[in-house]
Amino acid sequence: MMRNWLLQLPRPQKRLLQVVADVFLVWLALYLAFLIRLGVEEMITPLGSHLWLFICAPIVAIPLFVRFGMYRAVMRYFGNDALIAIGKAVSLSALILALVVYWYSNHQNVVPRSIIFNYWWLSLVLIGGLRLAMRHYFLGDWFAAAQHVPFTRRDDGLLKVAVYGAGAAGNQLVAALRLAKVMRPVAFIDDDVSIADRVISGLHVFAPKDIQQMLDLTGAQEVLLAIPSSARGRRREILDFLERFPIHVRSVPGFMDLASGRVKVDDIQEVDVADLLGRDPVPAQPELLQRCIAGQTILVTGAGGSIGSELCRQILMLGPITLILFEHSEYNLYSILSELEQRVSRESLSVRLLPILGSVRNQHQLYEVMRTWHVDTVYHAAAYKHVPMVEHNIAEGVLNNVIGTLNTAQAALQVGVSNFVLISTDKAVRPTNVMGSTKRLAEMTLQALSCELAPVLFGDSHKVSQVNKTRFTMVRFGNVLGSSGSVIPLFHKQIKAGGPLTVTHPKITRYFMTIPEAAQLVIQAGSMGRGGDVFVLDMGEPVRIVELAEKMIHLSGLSVRSEKSPRGDIAIEFSGLRPGEKLYEELLIGDNVVATQHPMIMSANEDYLVWDVLKERLTEILAAVEADDYGRVRQLLRETVSGYAPDGEIVDWIYQQQRLDP
């Protein structure tokens, strides 16, 4: 086939073909210029008295075409820049040819002045037009930009999509889809009434109120949101509107992802569930972001986890000298290190990355790391946070969440780390599970330490007082979208499998926040602490999980199967609350909350035990854990953590097996 033969030619041969074609086009443009000016009856012959002009024209034009890069452009990706280059090259060649004609005409035959003007516009049409024609020939898509023209429609088996947003992102997306040939754009949808019923990039523009008409006329099977710069509230309004139509909705990435170069405009993805929440993030305060990071050495524990890895990404861009990644999972540590190294190389950042394999259960290792690299700020994100998993493994939950936090805090205090920020959770408020109670106990540990000027550390048999120079801060928030164990990825997986979607209870609600927003607020909150502060992030309104499931089904172009709609596509099943789960989560134990300088960060005043009393409780809890006495562990947690009220039997695997085999 001619197309394949041309595409497989070596690059030098392709360029030679272009040069030869341009020589003939220059001659043709000059010949037609004479024909238009003189007419058929007075038409000259090229080999007549103006042969010199036909020799000069390509001699002038071709070097300029080479200089302007017309033979470096790839035909399949021929775009506006190439057209501008052609316009400049042809115009300059016509101008130089006019000077040649002016000089030569004084000595030889006179050439009509209009010939040059005719030659200029004919060259533009012929040379530019040939390249546009060859572009469509190589793409094999002659009618891609003419779907509104009668008799040009055809079914090529590609997925038909409508693009919501006829702006720059929408047009780039259409061009990318046509080039990739994996989807066929068939229409635009746009809120701008001034372009409704117009044609852009060969596609009819429909107003939102005419979406059903668009579906009937075009047979579109998906809607792609190409509104990356729209506010999240506006995106939620659009998604709520589209939910009523039986069509799958997906989106192009957000504006910041596009600007950073992490993704391209044609990287289509499922609708961001953050758009369903509809809350626009509050702009960060730069002075708060940089206060504990810029020019300092930072340690992040749990650096490979959901929150820890996002903290590392954001810390990297705030100018630290050294960023220490402390993680017990080798794979997670390797993953986040590889990502950050690529970013450091790509953006030429002057920061040293130190990956440390280790456990927060090892206080000596933590101490050596902080002492060796003179750590200034610690973000403690290492924790077990999956409620049912911790409920079945009580000992590990206590040792990792409580003792791990204690070890990290005491190592920081010994070294003299300036700032220590604990990543906490809303499940620490009146907890019904081990995870929540251990996180609240971790908070109480930091609260107690922060009130001691020279505490004797837990486990110190020599009873040596340590001067406390560390400012301890706790930041409490709810669920983050997309974290490990989050319900959102599970719903996506279940929808792809055809359902059903499993929800624990019809009335269960949760607070949600995006991981980047949570990490950014954690950094800012940590900068505001004076010592012992418990900061609470404004999580907005709680979300009913069943409503979230229904929206995700609808925006996948499917319907919910229920008693009212037995022919629906995907059912929602209720599996019952798992061990330790609550219907509703809270962010505050009491009502004594105080506003801060940041509108989305509040400061809570929570009760706690003094350090000497708390150490005794920790000793008892640790002894009960080592003895596998989980009944005693639960009792001690209830006596220590205000509001801890477990609502079921102990389900720890070891405890249950001990009861079976006494």
Side-chain angles (χ1 to χ4, degrees):
M1 191 174 180
M2 179 64 72
R3 184 190 299 123
N4 294 333
W5 179 76
L6 289 172
L7 289 173
Q8 292 172 4
L9 283 176
R11 187 66 182 159
Q13 294 185 26
K14 291 179 181 178
R15 289 179 175 175
L16 180 61
L17 280 176
Q18 287 181 283
V19 171
V20 172
D22 284 343
V23 170
F24 279 104
L25 290 176
V26 166
W27 283 342
L28 178 60
L30 191 57
Y31 182 85
L32 292 175
F34 276 102
L35 181 63
I36 292 171
R37 172 64 179 83
L38 301 175
V40 177
E41 296 178 355
E42 301 181 17
M43 182 58 195
I44 64 159
T45 61
L47 299 177
S49 58
H50 292 89
L51 177 61
W52 64 272
L53 190 57
F54 283 86
I55 295 174
C56 288
I59 292 176
V60 170
I62 298 303
L64 288 172
F65 292 176
V66 173
R67 181 65 182 84
F68 278 87
M70 288 172 53
Y71 304 116
R72 292 195 299 267
V74 180
M75 287 295 180
R76 282 170 290 173
Y77 305 105
F78 189 81
N80 293 335
D81 292 341
L83 286 175
I84 293 173
I86 290 173
K88 291 179 179 179
V90 169
S91 299
L92 187 57
S93 68
L95 180 61
I96 294 175
L97 189 63
L99 295 175
V100 172
V101 168
Y102 174 78
W103 178 83
Y104 194 77
S105 296
N106 290 335
H107 303 83
Q108 303 291 336
N109 298 325
V110 176
V111 177
R113 284 173 293 181
S114 61
I115 292 296
I116 298 300
F117 176 74
N118 290 337
Y119 166 74
W120 171 72
W121 68 261
L122 285 167
S123 296
L124 285 176
V125 172
L126 292 173
I127 294 172
L130 177 65
R131 280 162 169 76
L132 287 174
M134 293 305 294
R135 175 197 174 194
H136 286 289
Y137 175 72
F138 286 128
L139 289 175
D141 197 3
W142 292 94
F143 303 106
Q147 295 178 7
H148 65 292
V149 179
F151 311 114
T152 63
R153 296 177 184 172
R154 69 182 193 274
D155 187 4
D156 50 12
L158 298 179
L159 181 70
K160 297 178 181 178
V161 297
V163 177
Y164 200 116
N171 279 272
Q172 290 177 44
L173 178 60
V174 166
L177 293 177
R178 285 172 173 167
L179 190 63
K181 293 185 180 179
V182 293
M183 299 179 183
R184 174 166 291 280
V186 294
F188 275 120
I189 307 167
D190 201 279
D191 301 323
D192 188 351
V193 295
S194 66
I195 61 173
D197 293 327
R198 301 282 187 90
V199 173
I200 296 178
S201 295
L203 301 179
H204 189 94
V205 182
F206 291 86
K209 63 183 179 64
D210 298 323
I211 288 182
Q212 188 58 56
Q213 178 188 358
M214 181 274 295
L215 295 176
D216 297 336
L217 289 175
T218 64
Q221 299 159 279
E222 285 193 13
V223 171
L224 305 181
L225 297 181
I227 46 175
S229 58
S230 293
R232 194 169 285 163
R234 177 57 189 151
R235 293 172 71 90
R236 179 182 180 178
E237 292 175 3
I238 293 172
L239 292 174
D240 288 342
F241 179 76
L242 293 175
E243 191 181 348
R244 69 188 71 174
F245 300 101
I247 189 167
H248 188 186
V249 180
R250 292 197 284 173
S251 70
V252 298
F255 176 78
M256 292 308 297
D257 291 326
L258 292 172
S260 66
R262 289 195 295 267
V263 294
K264 302 184 293 295
V265 73
D266 56 332
D267 287 336
I268 299 167
Q269 57 195 19
E270 294 298 327
V271 170
D272 189 348
V273 182
D275 293 334
L276 299 179
L277 305 182
R279 187 185 60 176
D280 293 314
V282 174
Q285 299 181 15
E287 68 279 3
L288 291 179
L289 285 176
Q290 297 182 350
R291 184 176 297 168
C292 296
I293 295 174
Q296 302 182 37
T297 297
I298 313 300
L299 168 66
V300 178
T301 68
S306 304
I307 289 293
S309 60
E310 183 60 32
L311 280 170
C312 292
R313 295 183 191 102
Q314 298 199 22
I315 290 169
L316 192 68
M317 305 308 296
L318 295 172
I321 295 175
T322 304
L323 175 56
I324 303 174
L325 317 174
F326 194 89
E327 172 63 53
H328 80 286
S329 168
E330 181 185 33
Y331 175 77
N332 287 351
L333 182 60
Y334 169 78
S335 297
I336 187 60
L337 177 65
S338 300
E339 177 186 335
L340 297 182
E341 284 179 335
Q342 291 176 11
R343 193 166 183 182
V344 167
S345 174
R346 183 173 64 247
E347 302 182 23
S348 301
L349 301 176
S350 58
V351 56
R352 178 172 56 170
L353 297 175
L354 293 175
I356 304 293
L357 270 175
S359 170
V360 292
R361 306 255 286 273
N362 187 341
Q363 183 173 334
H364 178 71
Q365 183 189 22
L366 288 164
Y367 170 80
E368 290 298 330
V369 169
M370 295 183 200
R371 182 185 64 83
T372 302
W373 282 286
H374 308 289
V375 171
D376 298 294
T377 300
V378 173
Y379 291 96
H380 182 53
Y384 290 142
K385 59 182 183 294
H386 192 276
V387 170
M389 194 71 71
V390 175
E391 207 68 20
H392 287 296
N393 298 272
I394 293 176
E396 288 301 308
V398 171
L399 293 174
N400 200 62
N401 293 356
V402 180
I403 305 303
T405 301
L406 174 67
N407 290 341
T408 312
Q410 291 196 150
L413 191 148
Q414 284 179 291
V415 173
V417 170
S418 300
N419 307 292
F420 187 103
V421 182
L422 169 68
I423 313 302
S424 192
T425 172
D426 58 352
K427 294 174 178 60
V429 179
R430 281 183 277 274
T432 59
N433 50 67
V434 175
M435 193 280 278
S437 63
T438 55
K439 290 297 287 184
R440 175 58 190 143
L441 191 50
E443 290 181 357
M444 294 173 66
T445 301
L446 298 192
Q447 286 177 293
L449 275 174
S450 66
C451 292
E452 298 292 323
L453 296 177
V456 175
L457 300 184
F458 178 81
D460 184 1
S461 58
H462 301 292
K463 300 187 182 300
V464 176
S465 297
Q466 302 284 337
V467 177
N468 187 357
K469 299 179 181 179
T470 304
R471 184 165 54 92
F472 292 102
T473 303
M474 294 133 277
V475 185
R476 187 187 291 164
F477 55 91
N479 298 274
V480 288
L481 297 172
S483 66
S484 58
S486 171
V487 70
I488 308 303
L490 175 62
F491 283 168
H492 278 306
K493 184 178 180 181
Q494 291 174 335
I495 289 173
K496 287 182 179 180
L501 267 63
T502 54
V503 179
T504 54
H505 193 281
K507 294 183 179 180
I508 193 168
T509 64
R510 288 292 182 266
Y511 290 100
F512 284 104
M513 179 178 284
T514 64
I515 295 178
E517 184 181 5
Q520 190 179 81
L521 289 172
V522 163
I523 294 173
Q524 294 177 88
S527 299
M528 294 190 296
R530 295 185 298 269
D533 308 81
V534 177
F535 290 109
V536 180
L537 304 188
D538 182 356
M539 301 291 295
E541 295 298 322
V543 177
R544 286 187 65 202
I545 303 301
V546 67
E547 291 180 359
L548 188 61
E550 290 172 352
K551 283 182 178 291
M552 292 181 66
I553 292 173
H554 291 150
L555 292 173
S556 297
L558 304 170
S559 58
V560 179
R561 187 189 311 150
S562 62
E563 294 181 359
K564 296 181 179 179
S565 303
R567 296 188 178 182
D569 300 302
I570 294 182
I572 297 176
E573 295 183 355
F574 299 103
S575 56
L577 292 175
R578 295 172 295 182
E581 278 193 322
K582 298 167 66 175
L583 277 179
Y584 312 101
E585 298 292 358
E586 304 168 88
L587 291 167
L588 294 170
I589 295 176
D591 298 325
N592 49 348
V593 63
V594 179
T596 68
Q597 65 187 87
H598 196 290
M600 294 195 63
I601 302 174
M602 300 170 288
S603 178
N605 296 311
E606 309 284 25
D607 295 332
Y608 61 94
L609 299 177
V610 296
W611 178 237
D612 289 336
V613 174
L614 184 63
K615 283 196 297 182
E616 294 177 3
R617 293 289 176 86
L618 291 175
T619 301
E620 294 181 70
I621 291 173
L622 192 56
V625 168
E626 291 175 350
D628 292 331
D629 188 351
Y630 299 110
R632 178 63 176 162
V633 172
R634 171 179 279 194
Q635 179 187 346
L636 290 169
L637 287 175
R638 293 185 68 172
E639 293 174 358
T640 307
V641 177
S642 175
Y644 176 42
D647 57 359
E649 296 295 324
I650 298 175
V651 295
D652 182 89
W653 297 123
I654 295 176
Y655 177 83
Q656 290 182 326
Q657 190 63 34
Q658 287 174 340
R659 296 188 67 182
L660 292 174
D661 303 317

